[in-house]
Amino acid sequence: MDIKSPEKLIELLDRHAYLADEGLATAAYLALKMGRPLFLEGEAGVGKTELAKTLATLLDAPLIRLQCYEGLDAAQALYDWDFARQLLHLKAAEAAGITDVGRLEGEIYDRRFLIARPLLKAIETQPSVLLVDEIDRADDEFEAFLLEVLSDFTISIPELGTVRAKTPPVVVVTSNRTREVHDALKRRCLYHWLEHPNFDREVAILLRRLPDCTETLAMQVARAAERLRQAELVKPPGVAETLDWTEALLTLGAKELDPGLAAATLGAALKYREDVAHVLGNGLLSHG
């Protein structure tokens, strides 16, 4: 798909119910045109992962997701050998009377016994969108390894040779900034910080994503979410939580947000006991 401008990208994203502002659309457009990874940083729930999903949809490309976590290593991100199938193959060869060691070794390290993990899968899949989600949760060593892969989209498999992407995947790297990501990785990417949406944009998102939501309810929920983000909470609600909260209210048949209903459904927006206690104890839901 030939996307002519950031404005065109905003229009295409909107068709898939993702409302991007000019800054985000420009960063994503440049990443697509320049073939550079897009590094999205911001609090959880502001739409980083959702952007990658929406890009995959509008580009008609599979989304390949690498979820990062502490202890993630190269093997878990690249590839693995299917030892169970290799063993079965050896047993079958033994039963057939095949004893040529060189032949057997060549056969068990055939591509059919290789399990492609996200990075290899993204390099082999044309086209694809690679989402490296929450890179800040991975270790420094994996971050350095990822930088090497993103530099040339080439993976060396000792038993098979080098796998190189004919067309590099579209790459979106996200971080919730639980720790600082090294400058070397950020320099490889185009960077954008996602803020929580302003009031008008959040209302528009709620109405776009939840067609049954009334404008009154959308405005009241967006205003309440705005107040919660200004409070000193462990985890303020992001757009994802605001959508969940509104959907919960709609499920209960709400047309407007009253304090009692807001308190009863607060678990859709806040995920820490301390936050719920702080909000209820300070009457933060009692405002109009």
Side-chain angles (χ1 to χ4, degrees):
M1 177 182 290
D2 187 18
I3 301 172
K4 302 291 187 181
S5 66
E7 292 73 23
K8 181 62 176 179
L9 182 56
I10 289 176
E11 177 187 331
L12 291 170
L13 291 170
D14 179 70
R15 290 181 192 174
H16 296 279
Y18 189 99
L19 277 62
D21 61 22
E22 184 180 358
L24 176 59
T26 300
Y29 171 79
L30 291 173
L32 292 172
K33 289 299 182 181
M34 297 168 63
R36 298 278 295 278
L38 177 60
F39 190 103
L40 297 177
E41 201 165 42
E43 293 189 36
V46 293
K48 303 184 295 297
T49 299
E50 194 63 30
L51 176 67
K53 293 179 180 178
T54 308
L55 284 175
T57 300
L58 68 86
L59 295 172
D60 194 22
L63 176 72
I64 300 172
R65 182 174 184 168
L66 174 61
Q67 180 62 52
C68 297
Y69 53 87
E70 187 177 351
L72 176 66
D73 61 27
Q76 294 162 315
L78 281 176
Y79 66 87
D80 214 343
W81 289 103
D82 191 337
F83 296 118
R85 289 188 62 205
Q86 288 174 318
L87 184 59
L88 286 173
H89 181 77
L90 288 174
K91 288 182 177 179
E94 182 182 1
I98 300 174
T99 58
D100 185 336
V101 175
R103 173 184 168 181
L104 288 174
E105 184 174 347
E107 288 179 351
I108 65 170
Y109 287 110
D110 185 78
R111 179 63 181 81
R112 61 191 163 132
F113 295 119
L114 191 72
I115 302 172
R117 302 301 184 194
L119 292 181
L120 177 58
K121 191 180 296 184
I123 286 176
E124 289 186 321
T125 304
Q126 314 292 323
S128 66
V129 175
L130 172 63
L131 168 62
V132 183
D133 216 6
E134 298 182 326
I135 184 62
D136 52 318
R137 296 186 180 276
D139 301 325
D140 290 351
E141 292 78 8
F142 181 79
E143 193 179 313
F145 158 76
L146 180 65
L147 175 63
E148 182 180 345
V149 173
L150 295 183
S151 296
D152 54 14
F153 295 101
T154 298
I155 292 174
S156 178
I157 303 174
E159 300 85 354
L160 296 178
T162 299
V163 180
R164 179 174 286 104
K166 294 179 181 178
T167 303
V170 174
V171 180
V172 177
V173 183
T174 75
S175 168
N176 295 336
R177 207 172 188 179
T178 58
R179 70 168 177 85
E180 287 294 335
V181 175
H182 289 188
D183 288 343
L185 180 59
K186 285 186 176 181
R187 281 198 302 270
R188 179 70 186 82
C189 307
L190 296 178
Y191 177 86
H192 186 77
W193 173 268
L194 263 73
E195 298 279 0
H196 290 293
N198 62 29
F199 174 76
D200 290 336
R201 183 171 295 277
E202 188 147 31
V203 170
I205 291 170
L206 292 175
L207 294 174
R208 186 76 170 81
R209 295 292 293 272
L210 300 170
D212 293 335
C213 182
T214 65
E215 185 171 356
T216 297
L217 181 61
M219 293 176 67
Q220 290 174 337
V221 172
R223 189 67 72 197
E226 195 175 58
R227 287 198 303 273
L228 295 179
R229 289 172 192 143
Q230 293 169 356
E232 295 182 1
L233 302 180
V234 176
K235 170 60 178 72
V239 179
E241 286 77 23
T242 307
L243 285 164
D244 285 346
W245 196 10
T246 307
E247 187 174 1
L249 291 163
L250 291 172
T251 301
L252 295 175
K255 300 297 182 184
E256 296 185 359
L257 183 67
D258 63 72
L261 197 54
T265 55
L266 193 55
L270 302 179
K271 309 301 179 181
Y272 286 86
R273 181 182 62 82
E274 297 90 340
D275 287 348
V276 173
H278 177 74
V279 169
L280 297 178
N282 289 277
L284 297 180
L285 299 177
S286 60
H287 304 285

